[in-house]
Amino acid sequence: MIVLDTTDKSLTVVMSGAAATTNPDFSADYEDERGSVLVSGNNNGTLNGTSTVTLVAAPADNARRRIQHVIIRNRDTAAVTVTVSLTDTAVARQQFSAAIESGGTLEYS
């Protein structure tokens, strides 16, 4: 499980280059923990070539955001390489990098 435990931490992704035709889509599920209260959330979107995209934003003050599931689907006609990072303030710490074949998915649970 990836935990975002400060208002400076987020989970981001960037592609190694532009898509041939269509950028990949993503969906990320998480839970916010505030004491004994859990609130589920989801973020969906599309990657944007070499621009960094936030998969899961930092939590609110006094909360921990527990990332449950992330899926990135390559809708392009060619393979794409993505790098997922845990970003703390302005420092991105690479978690993993992978090539996703055309029509394939990258999934974290």
Side-chain angles (χ1 to χ4, degrees), residues 15-69:
M15 295 168 54
S16 63
T21 60
T22 308
N23 283 312
D25 290 330
F26 71 88
S27 179
D29 300 316
Y30 58 87
E31 289 181 333
D32 281 349
E33 175 187 348
R34 291 186 182 154
S36 61
V37 177
L38 290 177
V39 178
S40 297
N42 177 273
N43 189 34
N44 298 293
T46 303
L47 303 189
N48 187 11
T50 58
S51 297
T52 300
V53 173
T54 300
L55 293 172
V56 180
D61 200 23
N62 296 322
R64 290 172 23 110
R65 184 160 282 174
R66 302 184 312 191
I67 301 170
Q68 305 294 323
H69 185 250

